[in-house]
């Protein structure tokens, strides 16, 4: 069950509502301060747009606070934390724009972000998926592409062909999103950007990255407080991709390899932590991490160790796809 509060034109007449060029879809989960900053930046700097907030059952008052402050905000409230993919698809389904912008709740745009994005899309009509440069609050660069392309500051390189873009701020043609049926809802919190980009390229879509526009990315706003569970959730997504794209034998071999790796690293960091009485966090923290992962493998990589609700865990093997050739 979900509820939504759609925005209407000022005279509440749907027939006269102006179709926006851009639909920003933001997924939030207990990130009120960051989400508000994201919405403020869009409201201040974007043009011809709508903002769709999909809230994954936050308990920090996000929905009530933002509904009161931003009267034109479209809000979808999910009855429980359904993860990034489900929430993003829910937002995209009610989007009116020609372009869907998948934007993390911990991202803010600059004054020149959308003018540059709009210029690129108009001058390169072949584009279907576009990513830009993510930066830290201090202006330093973050990894923004899912490939071996090295970060550059040369803004003369307008568009770069890459195998994928980090999904914190991704511009997607509406038709492309619909053709791919959005994000794979078997991916809860990690890997959905990688999977979407690979499927987009496999479908023939044109995907590019540009250093010409930038956004601030505060990083890990929803997961930094649950570090060990976040690590397991990341591995859950990796396992899902293995099940989706590899044979049963290859999948099992990868699981065994990880189990052995976590076991030996647990022993190694335990041996380094004992002489320091576990007081040196560089060693004890890693011991805690790998011991947790090893125990998870001993339990058969059971549900409930990551971030998603147990009943939402995917138990069946997804159908094989052509993406396997890219992994």
């Amino acid at each position: 069950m979900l509820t939504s509060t759609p925005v209407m034109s000022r005279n509440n007449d749907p027939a006269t509502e102006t179709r926006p060029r851009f639909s920003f879809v933001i997924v939030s989960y207990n990130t009120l301060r960051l989400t508000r900053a994201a919405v403020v930046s869009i409201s201040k700097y974007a043009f011809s747009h709508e903002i769709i907030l999909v809230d994954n059952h936050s308990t920090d008052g996000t929905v009530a606070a933002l509904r009161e402050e931003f009267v034109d905000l479209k809000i979808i409230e999910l009855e429980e934390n359904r993860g990034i993919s489900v929430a993003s698809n829910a937002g995209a389904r009610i989007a009116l724009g020609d372009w869907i912008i998948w934007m993390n709740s911990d991202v803010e745009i600059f004054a020149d972000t959308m003018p540059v994005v709009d210029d690129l899309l108009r001058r390169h009509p072949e584009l279907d998926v576009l990513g830009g440069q993510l930066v830290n609050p201090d202006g330093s660069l973050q990894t923004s592409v899912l490939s071996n392309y090295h970060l550059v500051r040369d803004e003369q390189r307008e568009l770069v062909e890459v195998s994928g873009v980090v999904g914190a701020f991704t511009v997607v043609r509406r038709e492309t999103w619909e053709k791919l049926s959005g994000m794979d809802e078997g991916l809860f919190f990690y890997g959905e950007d990688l999977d979407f980009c690979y499927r987009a390229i496999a479908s023939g879509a044109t995907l590019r990255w540009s250093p010409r526009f930038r956004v601030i990315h505060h990083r890990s706003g929803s997961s930094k407080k649950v570090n060990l569970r976040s690590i397991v959730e990341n591995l859950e997504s990796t396992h899902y991709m293995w099940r989706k794209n590899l044979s049963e034998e290859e999948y099992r071999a990868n699981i065994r390899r990880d189990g052995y790796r976590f076991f030996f690293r647990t022993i190694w960091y335990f041996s380094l932590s004992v002489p320091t009485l576990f007081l040196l966090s560089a060693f004890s923290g890693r011991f805690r991490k790998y011991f947790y992962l090893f125990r998870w493998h001993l339990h058969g990589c059971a549900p409930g160790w990551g971030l998603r609700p147990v009943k939402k865990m995917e138990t069946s093997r997804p159908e094989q796809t052509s993406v396997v050739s890219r992994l």
Side-chain angles (χ1 to χ4, degrees):
M1 181 67 182
L2 59 84
T3 60
S4 63
T5 306
V7 60
M8 304 294 289
S9 59
R10 290 300 183 181
N11 60 7
N12 290 328
D13 182 2
T16 62
E17 184 177 11
T18 302
R19 182 186 180 95
R21 179 160 168 77
F22 300 104
S23 294
F24 290 83
V25 177
I26 302 175
V27 177
S28 63
Y29 179 63
N30 291 330
T31 54
L32 173 56
R33 181 183 60 81
L34 290 170
T35 303
R36 182 186 180 279
V39 173
V40 166
S41 72
I42 298 170
S43 300
K44 184 176 181 180
Y45 296 129
F47 53 89
S48 184
H49 74 280
E50 64 177 351
I51 309 173
I52 302 169
L53 175 67
V54 187
D55 187 77
N56 263 320
H57 199 61
S58 294
T59 58
D60 65 349
T62 294
V63 170
L66 298 186
R67 176 180 285 132
E68 180 178 358
E69 183 174 1
F70 302 98
V71 295
D72 285 341
L73 185 64
K74 289 185 177 180
I75 299 178
I76 297 176
E77 298 179 71
L78 298 183
E79 77 285 358
E80 63 181 340
N81 186 357
R82 301 290 300 279
I84 292 290
S85 296
V86 170
S88 296
N89 289 344
R93 277 193 289 271
I94 68 168
L96 301 175
D98 298 320
W99 294 89
I100 296 171
I101 299 181
W102 172 31
M103 177 168 154
N104 279 16
S105 63
D106 57 1
V107 164
E108 298 175 57
I109 66 173
F110 292 105
D112 63 347
T113 298
M114 294 312 299
V116 174
V117 168
D118 187 60
D119 177 65
L120 289 171
L121 296 179
R122 292 186 185 280
R123 290 192 299 102
H124 299 278
E126 75 282 2
L127 286 174
D128 297 300
V129 183
L130 177 66
Q133 178 63 62
L134 308 178
V135 300
N136 293 307
D138 64 2
S140 58
L141 302 184
Q142 294 181 15
T143 299
S144 304
V145 297
L146 304 170
S147 72
N148 293 325
Y149 181 78
H150 296 293
L151 294 174
V152 297
R153 293 182 180 273
D154 182 9
E155 295 190 3
Q156 298 306 310
R157 296 199 64 181
E158 184 166 274
L159 294 174
V160 181
E161 184 174 358
V162 294
S163 61
V165 294
V166 175
F169 187 93
T170 309
V171 184
V172 182
R173 187 185 299 274
R174 167 192 284 279
E175 290 83 358
T176 301
W177 186 284
E178 293 174 348
K179 179 181 179 180
L180 297 174
S181 299
M183 295 182 183
D184 186 332
E185 296 187 359
L187 293 162
F188 183 82
F189 195 76
Y190 295 101
E192 66 284 335
D193 50 359
L194 175 67
D195 176 77
F196 183 85
C197 289
Y198 281 177
R199 287 190 292 119
I201 293 174
S203 74
T206 300
L207 183 152
R208 296 293 185 268
W209 174 78
S210 176
R212 279 196 57 208
F213 71 91
R214 301 183 177 193
V215 299
I216 300 172
H217 184 209
H218 294 277
R219 287 188 178 184
S220 304
S222 297
S223 62
K224 61 186 177 183
K225 295 180 181 179
V226 281
N227 185 45
L228 290 177
R229 296 185 65 193
S230 297
I231 293 171
V232 168
E233 190 59 49
N234 200 345
L235 286 171
E236 287 276 14
S237 295
T238 299
H239 290 185
Y240 178 86
M241 294 290 286
W242 288 345
R243 295 195 304 272
K244 180 177 178 179
N245 297 297
L246 302 178
S247 68
E248 181 73 23
E249 182 179 353
E250 291 171 319
Y251 167 68
R252 295 299 176 189
N254 285 348
I255 293 293
R256 288 193 297 271
R257 181 203 64 201
D258 272 1
Y260 291 137
R261 178 162 61 95
F262 297 145
F263 170 73
F264 286 114
R265 291 193 177 186
T266 297
I267 297 301
W268 172 248
Y269 284 110
F270 177 79
S271 67
L272 294 176
S273 299
V274 168
T276 63
L277 301 178
F278 293 87
L279 297 178
L280 189 59
S281 60
F283 296 148
S284 62
R286 288 180 174 85
F287 164 70
R288 181 169 170 259
K289 166 186 170 180
Y290 288 115
F291 183 52
Y292 188 83
L293 295 176
F294 176 60
R295 287 174 54 224
W296 178 54
H297 273 68
L298 283 181
H299 285 79
C301 301
W305 291 61
L307 299 175
R308 70 186 78 187
V310 174
K311 64 180 178 180
K312 293 299 178 185
M313 286 290 294
E314 189 73 37
T315 56
S316 60
R317 287 176 57 82
E319 294 181 2
Q320 298 286 331
T321 73
S322 60
V323 181
V324 63
S325 63
R326 296 182 175 273
L327 294 181

